[in-house]
């Protein structure tokens, strides 16, 4: 039944369920699931974040605040305080000094054994100075010493990534248990051919895992933590390989499907000839790449990356016309209403003179207009549709969708992108797909996260673009900045004032823009000031943008709704408030709204001191750099791949062991190994994917 809502099955993973481990009941299992641990194998692949050397006991008299230490001492007394927050205090002495342990969460049992006078405890934790002036540890790891307690060991103790309600002690115990099963050779079979391991100088998996969870006495914690240890690299390598295999398989599956071949270039050619400008060499090259793909009876899967302003929309329009020429349909999906509107306006202006109608569909469209739009799409009366993700909702049916174009890909997760392929399916055929992004994906990332896509790059901006001079200024120089706006507008130019996200809520963000607009109107009474934000009724917002575009407004105060798409060549000044809160990619996108005309443009990044070191680094990159690719590269170095790909929040595509920056050198080897494995050991592909990724939910496969 089509309409039936199916729950995505949990990813099928390698190994027995985690509940086979002693002491794991439903509650603990749930907590472990939050860490992504579903099976006993997962426990083995949940590697320590760092290690502590607990080879020595520090005398309390030697303790210093801010240092992690281990002590052994006698309990001299304990109490539960109820002044303010309830907590358990436990006082210790070892003859050289006294130390207090503080617990905010404790069970009656804990209270019992921690509170027994004359009990001997071994505690590990960070030392702090308490309000009273003494020393304390908050929630240290404690164990009671008795005759059977082994002496401290001189080997690195693993510290695992944890979550609320999970103790290191528990995680360590589970790892130990799973290692026992590993020793019995029931977990983690070796899937990599010995020749490959020898060539890469990597150890077998069982050996690697054992070493990382239970490092021998002579291992330096620093080497283990650096990620350069062969044991860690072995696992990173296998994980990268599994991702390669998974994407490769996905790509092959899609490639095996049929797609409508879109040949001929009459209409598309006429469109290009009638444009008021000549295509750049890069645009021509990319269009040829796309045309060649579209002519095939297999679905195109192409990523088009091009810096802000490189002219991706024209390329999209020309590609869409190929569908029209062949009597089929094309859809262009944008991540926001505003950008969808902008595309709709652009495409209409370009295509209507050619007799091609462009439909429009967003979540805001209701009632009769919506019904009509849906009907015209379903019958094929209209051949090009522009909209938001509303385009791909259940109710939308296309007569024959031959090309799906997704703009600003970085706003959509990898998962959504893949789900889209399914959505556009009709009559056993799969539409061609073009993914456009203005956040250039650094090569290393492209190779891993987008291994299922071919890539085209617009590496050239249309002629006449001038780099935007960028400066950062503290809030205290607001007055100067306002004067600057006055001068620019007096000279007939236009300006943007951007109020980005300060609060997590869109409503507050819009309110901030409203307040800023009022204040600026007071200070700049001679200017015509407009306001555009996501909470304004569509018509009001559109009117403000249209007026700005027509030159009827001097200054446009906006939220980040203008981040993508807005195109006003006469605007040559942009002020971005709270710039320190924004990411590099977003700032670069925003700045891309200016520098589109003949006048030199400037961008002022207003920040509120003090600047964190990271924010300082971000703003510096923007001052120095104008090339989106270089910015993306530095962004990757500053933030790490999960953030850059926008997948951190969704948890998608996150790597468990490998680090795309640190393990870059393994990527090529993983690609090569993927080829070999697919050829020589196809039966090992599935188990490797199951081990690292699970099967099913992850990539929206059906
Ligand atoms: P983006 O790649 O950021 O989406 P757009 O497609 O919005 O860029 O193009 C930015 C602006 O450049 C638009 O006004 C567009 O009409 C214009 N443009 C695109 N290609 C060219 C070209 N070859 N020569 C001149 N202007 C161009
Ligand atoms: Mg664009």
């Amino acid at each position: 039944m089509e309409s039936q809502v199916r729950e995505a099955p949990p990813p099928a993973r390698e190994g027995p369920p985690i509940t086979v481990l002693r002491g794991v009941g439903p509650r603990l299992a749930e907590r472990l699931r939050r860490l992504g641990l579903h099976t006993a194998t997962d426990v083995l692949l949940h590697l320590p974040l760092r290690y502590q050397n607990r080879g020595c006991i520090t005398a309390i008299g030697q303790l210093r605040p801010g240092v992690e230490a281990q002590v052994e001492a006698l309990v001299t007394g304990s109490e539960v305080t109820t002044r303010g927050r309830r907590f358990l205090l436990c006082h210790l002495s070892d003859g050289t000094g006294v130390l207090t342990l503080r617990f905010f969460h404790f069970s009656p049992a804990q209270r019992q054994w921690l509170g027994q006078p004359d009990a001997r405890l071994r505690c590990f934790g960070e030392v702090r100075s308490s309000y009273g002036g003494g020393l304390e540890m908050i929630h240290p790891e404690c164990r009671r010493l008795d005759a059977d307690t082994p002496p401290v060991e001189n080997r690195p103790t693993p510290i695992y990534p944890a979550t609320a309600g999970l103790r290191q002690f528990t995680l360590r115990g589970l790892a130990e248990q799973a290692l026992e099963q590993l020793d019995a050779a029931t977990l983690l079979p070796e899937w990599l051919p010995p020749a490959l391991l020898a060539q890469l100088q990597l150890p077998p998996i069982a050996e690697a895992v054992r070493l990382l969870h239970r490092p021998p006495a002579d291992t330096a914690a620093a080497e283990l933590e650096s990620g350069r240890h062969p044991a860690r690299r072995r696992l990173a390598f296998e994980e990268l390989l599994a991702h390669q295999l998974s994407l490769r398989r996905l790509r092959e599956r899609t490639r095996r499907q049929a797609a409508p071949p879109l040949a001929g270039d009459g209409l598309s050619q006429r469109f290009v000839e009638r444009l008021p400008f000549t295509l750049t060499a890069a645009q021509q090259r990319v269009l040829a790449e796309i045309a060649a793909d579209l002519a095939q009876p297999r679905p195109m899967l192409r990523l088009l990356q091009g810096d802000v302003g490189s002219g991706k929309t024209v390329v999209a329009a020309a590609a869409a016309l190929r569908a029209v020429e062949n009597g089929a349909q094309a859809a262009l999906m944008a991540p926001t209403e505003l950008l969808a509107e902008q595309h709709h306006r652009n495409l209409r202006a370009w295509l209507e003179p050619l007799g091609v109608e462009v439909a429009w569909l967003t979540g805001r469209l209701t009632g009769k207009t919506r019904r009509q739009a849906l009907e015209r799409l379903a019958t094929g009366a209209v051949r090009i549709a522009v909209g938001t993700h509303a385009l791909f909702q259940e109710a939308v049916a296309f007569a024959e969708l031959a090309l799906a174009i997704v703009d600003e890909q970085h706003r959509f997760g990898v998962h959504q992108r893949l789900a889209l392929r399914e959505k556009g399916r009709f009559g056993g055929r799969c539409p061609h797909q073009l993914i456009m992004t203005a956040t250039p994906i650094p090569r290393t990332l492209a190779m891993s996260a987008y291994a299922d896509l071919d890539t085209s790059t617009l590496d050239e901006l249309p002629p006449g673009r001038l780099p935007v001079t960028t400066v950062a200024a503290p809030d205290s120089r607001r007055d100067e900045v306002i004067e600057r706006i006055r001068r620019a507008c007096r000279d007939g130019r236009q300006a943007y004032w951007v109020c980005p996200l300060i609060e997590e809520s869109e409503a507050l963000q819009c309110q901030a823009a409203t307040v800023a607009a009022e204040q600026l109107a007071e200070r700049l009474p001679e200017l015509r000031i407009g306001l555009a934000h996501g909470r304004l009724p569509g018509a009001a917002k559109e009117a403000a943008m249209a007026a700005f575009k027509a030159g009827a407004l001097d200054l446009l105060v906006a939220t980040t709704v203008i981040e993508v798409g807005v195109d006003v060549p006469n605007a040559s000044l942009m002020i971005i408030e709270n710039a320190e809160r924004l990411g590099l990619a977003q700032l670069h996108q925003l700045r891309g709204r200016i520098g589109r005309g003949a006048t030199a443009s400037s961008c002022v990044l207003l920040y509120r001191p003090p600047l964190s070191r990271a924010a300082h680094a971000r703003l510096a990159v923007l001052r120095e750099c104008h090339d989106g690719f270089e910015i993306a590269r530095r962004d990757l170095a500053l933030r790490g791949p999960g953030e850059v790909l926008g997948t951190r929040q969704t948890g998608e595509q996150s790597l468990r062991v490998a680090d795309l920056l640190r393990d870059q050198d393994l990527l090529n080897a993983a690609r090569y190994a993927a080829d070999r494995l697919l050829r020589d050991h196809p039966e090992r592909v599935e188990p490797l994917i199951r081990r690292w990724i699970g099967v099913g939910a992850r990539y929206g496969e059906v």
Side-chain angles (χ1 to χ4, degrees):
M1 277 207 318
E2 251 184 30
S3 58
Q4 196 179 333
V5 180
R6 268 179 310 166
E7 276 273 307
R13 303 236 193 172
E14 185 183 73
I18 207 158
T19 43
V20 301
L21 300 176
R22 282 186 308 278
V24 183
R27 265 187 52 189
L28 182 53
E30 174 50 38
R31 286 183 184 154
L32 292 165
R33 214 181 343 266
R34 265 185 262 145
L35 278 179
L37 308 182
H38 304 263
T39 65
T41 308
D42 288 340
V43 171
L44 288 176
L45 299 179
H46 188 63
L47 299 182
L49 204 57
R50 55 197 182 90
Y51 298 84
Q52 285 165 344
N53 200 331
R54 301 198 183 172
C56 60
I57 301 292
T58 308
I60 291 179
Q62 307 279 307
L63 294 180
R64 296 286 167 267
V67 175
E68 281 184 328
Q70 183 163 245
V71 299
E72 283 185 7
L74 279 182
V75 175
T76 55
S78 76
E79 71 215 82
V80 171
T81 316
T82 45
R83 251 176 300 123
R85 223 175 135 185
R86 194 174 112 94
F87 45 74
L88 169 64
L89 295 178
C90 173
H91 306 286
L92 302 183
S93 164
D94 70 351
T96 69
V98 294
L99 175 70
T100 304
L101 311 182
R102 188 185 292 267
F103 298 88
F104 294 102
H105 314 280
F106 51 93
S107 62
Q110 266 171 319
R111 143 120 238 234
Q112 242 260 302
W113 71 261
L114 281 170
Q116 255 167 40
D118 289 340
R120 270 184 77 74
L121 301 182
R122 182 185 295 164
C123 307
F124 186 92
E126 188 184 328
V127 181
R128 310 187 346 155
S129 9
S130 70
Y131 287 119
L135 293 176
E136 65 176 19
M137 284 182 180
I138 295 180
H139 277 265
E141 271 183 57
C142 292
R143 72 189 286 176
R144 214 146 142 194
L145 298 178
D146 51 38
D148 304 336
T149 314
V152 287
E153 287 182 311
N154 191 16
R155 66 178 176 96
T157 301
I159 307 294
Y160 293 93
T163 174
L166 259 184
R167 300 196 303 148
Q168 287 298 327
F169 180 76
T170 311
L171 287 167
R172 236 172 269 144
L174 292 176
E176 282 296 326
Q177 274 194 65
L179 284 177
E180 281 163 30
Q181 298 204 19
L182 175 69
D183 294 335
T186 48
L187 289 180
L188 285 185
E190 181 63 77
W191 298 119
L192 302 189
L196 178 66
L197 292 180
Q199 192 191 342
L200 295 169
Q201 298 186 306
L202 294 174
I205 190 155
E207 198 179 294
V209 162
R210 199 174 298 120
L211 186 135
L212 291 167
H213 288 287
R214 207 192 272 157
D218 52 357
T219 335
E223 201 200 340
L224 291 174
E225 287 168 10
S226 74
R228 303 304 298 174
H229 194 284
R232 217 174 165 104
R233 278 170 64 78
R234 154 67 214 236
L235 295 175
F237 173 76
E238 194 181 294
E239 181 173 37
L240 292 172
L241 173 62
H243 278 268
Q244 282 292 324
L245 290 169
S246 164
L247 288 167
R248 210 72 80 78
R249 200 176 56 174
L250 193 71
R251 175 192 170 100
E252 265 154 37
R253 276 187 197 165
T254 315
R255 296 268 171 208
R256 274 202 299 275
Q257 293 174 336
L262 304 175
D265 59 358
L267 191 57
S268 191
Q269 190 59 40
R270 246 187 305 145
F271 161 68
V272 169
E273 280 160 10
R274 290 176 59 141
L275 284 171
F277 46 77
T278 327
L279 293 187
T280 62
Q283 284 170 318
Q284 290 176 26
R285 189 192 66 237
V286 166
L287 259 179
E289 286 165 0
I290 293 172
D293 277 4
L294 293 178
Q296 302 300 315
R298 293 182 306 278
M300 166 173 81
L301 297 174
R302 194 166 277 280
L303 176 71
L304 168 56
Q305 42 180 2
D307 207 347
V308 183
S310 60
K312 294 183 289 294
T313 323
V314 182
V315 172
L321 284 176
R322 296 216 153 222
V324 177
E325 271 176 84
N326 286 269
Q329 291 168 303
L332 170 55
M333 174 167 91
T336 64
E337 297 262 340
L338 194 84
L339 183 55
E341 275 171 34
Q342 182 95 18
H343 278 329
H344 183 232
R345 208 175 307 136
N346 275 337
L347 260 58
R348 261 176 48 198
W350 283 331
L351 304 186
E352 275 177 2
L354 295 167
V356 178
E357 193 189 332
V358 183
W360 155 250
L361 197 69
T362 73
R364 296 225 174 131
L365 208 59
T366 51
K368 191 163 157 232
T369 356
R370 177 180 152 83
R371 268 200 313 281
Q372 274 175 353
L374 289 179
E375 196 185 301
R376 292 171 62 70
L377 282 177
T379 58
V382 56
R383 304 215 171 268
I384 296 187
V386 179
T388 55
H389 54 269
L391 274 176
F392 294 91
Q393 279 162 4
E394 210 66 45
V396 183
F398 290 91
E400 192 182 8
L401 181 65
L403 171 63
I405 306 172
V406 185
D407 193 15
E408 305 299 344
Q409 147 70 13
H410 70 292
R411 298 289 195 85
F412 301 100
V414 178
H415 193 274
Q416 264 172 303
R417 163 165 76 79
L418 298 169
L420 241 171
R421 282 186 200 165
E422 295 304 312
K423 193 69 202 167
R425 217 185 271 280
F426 65 96
R429 296 210 282 187
C430 187
H432 298 282
Q433 262 198 53
L434 180 64
I435 316 287
M436 307 200 290
T437 175
T439 307
I441 320 277
R443 218 179 94 74
T444 46
L445 284 191
M447 272 165 38
S448 62
Y450 295 90
D452 59 327
L453 299 176
D454 297 310
T455 308
S456 290
T457 306
L458 288 176
D459 49 8
E460 182 186 352
L461 293 182
R465 297 279 160 83
L466 297 168
V468 176
T469 312
T470 304
V471 295
D475 244 358
S476 51
R477 289 175 49 195
R478 221 180 160 86
D479 287 351
E480 276 169 60
V481 172
I482 290 175
E483 281 317 303
R484 208 161 155 178
I485 298 178
R486 198 194 305 277
R487 281 197 307 276
C489 293
R490 195 191 299 142
D491 295 345
R493 280 173 280 133
Q494 290 166 283
Y496 293 103
W497 184 285
V498 187
C499 308
L501 195 74
I502 309 167
E503 308 289 340
E504 286 304 314
S505 109
E506 195 202 358
L508 286 170
Q509 190 189 162
C510 298
Q511 192 194 337
T514 311
V515 171
E518 281 164 8
Q519 286 170 352
L520 286 165
E522 230 165 78
R523 299 287 305 276
L524 297 164
E526 75 275 30
L527 297 191
R528 297 162 299 169
I529 300 178
L531 178 64
H533 62 64
R535 285 290 168 110
L536 285 176
K541 191 174 59 195
E542 186 157 342
M545 309 275 275
F548 189 65
K549 187 156 188 170
L553 291 176
D554 303 300
L555 176 64
L556 186 66
V557 180
T559 53
T560 45
V561 294
I562 63 152
E563 179 186 339
V564 278
V566 182
D567 190 18
V568 181
N570 189 45
S572 62
L573 177 60
M574 175 177 283
I575 319 298
I576 305 177
E577 276 196 281
N578 298 303
E580 78 277 13
R581 313 264 183 125
L582 294 179
L584 268 178
Q586 208 179 9
L587 287 168
H588 180 62
Q589 285 264 340
L590 280 168
R591 180 174 66 171
R593 298 303 115 210
I594 53 175
R596 297 186 159 218
T599 3
S601 296
S602 354
C603 178
V604 181
L605 306 172
L606 276 183
Y607 63 86
R608 207 165 284 180
L611 269 190
S612 73
R613 186 186 286 234
H616 188 83
R618 274 201 303 277
L619 298 186
V621 169
L622 228 48
R623 282 201 316 264
E624 291 160 14
C625 245
H626 300 278
D627 172 8
F629 280 80
E630 177 60 17
I631 291 175
R633 208 186 55 73
R634 301 229 203 152
D635 199 19
L636 184 64
L638 288 173
R639 290 194 303 157
E643 300 273 354
V644 174
L645 285 174
T647 52
R648 164 117 345 142
Q649 301 83 337
T650 59
E652 268 183 69
Q653 185 69 33
S654 57
L655 294 165
R656 297 203 249 171
V657 177
D659 175 319
L660 287 175
L661 261 196
R662 190 185 61 209
D663 301 319
Q664 270 184 50
D665 61 315
L666 290 175
L667 268 167
N668 263 330
R671 268 152 55 102
Y672 173 73
D675 286 338
R676 289 259 303 268
L677 219 64
L678 283 163
R679 193 189 64 209
D680 301 338
H681 303 281
E683 76 289 353
R684 299 187 184 182
V685 170
E686 182 66 30
L688 275 168
I689 295 176
R690 282 167 63 97
R691 174 177 293 170
W692 289 99
I693 304 167
V695 175
R698 208 84 183 178
Y699 288 119
E701 290 174 45
V702 199

